[in-house]
Amino acid sequence: MNPGEDSGPGVLGLIDEHLDSIRAQLTDEQYQLLLTRLRALADTPPEDSRAVRRAFQAVRLSLLPLPFDHPVRQAMDSVRLVATAAAGPPVVLRTRDLLARLTAVPAPPPDTAAIIAAAERRLLKAPAFSAAELRARYGASPPPPELIRLADPRFGDRYPEFQFPPGGGTPYEVVLEVNRVLLADADPWGAADWWLSDNAWLGGPPASLLGVLPDRELVDAAAALVEGD
């Protein structure tokens, strides 16, 4: 990707170019999740830059399972060197073009609800506090709005444990800052996916690197995903 190239269309162009190898490297669930998020991006109003950025972020998250040496994964990790953020209309239009090519080959319609549910079940397997356990930490005070809160259909709200230091205490300040960058209030599942998935730039899942890497590196990695910086 050239330094002056917009990160959004550039990554989408590489997805188009390497679609066959992407399909080969992802499981059926992972590939269907990618398609689901591409459709959501294509349906986003182009003039709503915040919504486009959030939808594009979700597409990039769905590509994290690719091997570190895959051209699309390498391009995603190098986007932090690009000084421009993903622009709304070009990203949406490029996504619509990509989907038009994908749908030119007949395929069974994906069960979108089942794909999303499978991804959410995976994230709910991570250790988490219940709402009652969180109240025991905070008393009558409401938890910070930046905390990732995942709605578990069986057990109610769950707050992933990685957001807190071992042994108790308030959430990591860097977690709250990163969650603000990742728009966790609007997309808690996407934010949780970022924290709990391997990250080539950081060298592992960000949640496992709290207290290991400098806080600034975690913030910069999140900003690179959201802004394309």
Side-chain angles (χ1 to χ4, degrees):
M1 185 179 302
N2 296 326
E5 186 178 8
D6 187 291
S7 60
V11 170
L12 292 166
L14 284 172
I15 294 174
D16 194 354
E17 180 181 350
H18 297 280
L19 188 61
D20 290 342
S21 66
I22 290 173
R23 182 65 190 90
Q25 296 285 353
L26 299 180
T27 66
D28 289 343
E29 175 190 328
Q30 291 166 344
Y31 183 70
Q32 292 300 332
L33 182 61
L34 170 61
L35 294 182
T36 298
R37 289 178 170 176
L38 283 170
R39 291 186 183 95
L41 177 55
D43 291 339
T44 302
E47 68 278 3
D48 188 342
S49 59
R50 188 173 187 267
V52 172
R53 188 168 66 248
R54 186 166 62 245
F56 180 58
Q57 170 191 344
V59 170
R60 294 179 65 184
L61 285 169
S62 66
L63 292 164
L64 289 178
L66 289 173
F68 293 159
D69 60 352
H70 191 280
V72 173
R73 186 64 188 270
Q74 290 178 336
M76 288 167 50
D77 295 334
S78 68
V79 160
R80 66 184 185 275
L81 303 177
V82 180
T84 57
V91 168
V92 173
L93 294 176
R94 185 67 183 84
T95 304
R96 291 173 182 173
D97 289 343
L98 173 59
L99 284 174
R101 191 176 83 80
L102 290 176
T103 55
V105 179
D111 186 343
T112 301
I115 294 165
I116 294 174
E120 292 179 354
R121 284 196 299 271
R122 173 176 59 82
L123 294 171
L124 286 172
K125 290 179 181 179
F129 296 114
S130 67
E133 290 169 327
L134 200 70
R135 283 194 297 272
R137 284 174 170 257
Y138 282 95
S141 300
E146 299 90 347
L147 275 183
I148 294 172
R149 175 177 58 85
L150 303 178
D152 188 323
R154 294 180 299 169
F155 303 112
D157 290 342
R158 309 286 291 170
Y159 298 81
E161 284 186 13
F162 71 79
Q163 300 178 105
F164 301 87
T170 57
Y172 291 107
E173 284 299 323
V174 65
V175 167
L176 298 182
E177 183 176 358
V178 167
N179 286 351
R180 284 192 290 271
V181 171
L182 294 175
L183 308 177
D185 57 332
D187 183 15
W189 298 101
D193 199 18
W194 183 86
W195 279 107
L196 296 169
S197 297
D198 280 330
N199 186 297
W201 182 10
L202 297 175
S208 70
L209 301 173
L210 286 164
V212 177
L213 292 180
D215 291 352
R216 192 71 249 164
E217 288 192 29
L218 295 171
V219 176
D220 287 347
L225 179 69
V226 175
E227 301 292 346
D229 253 348

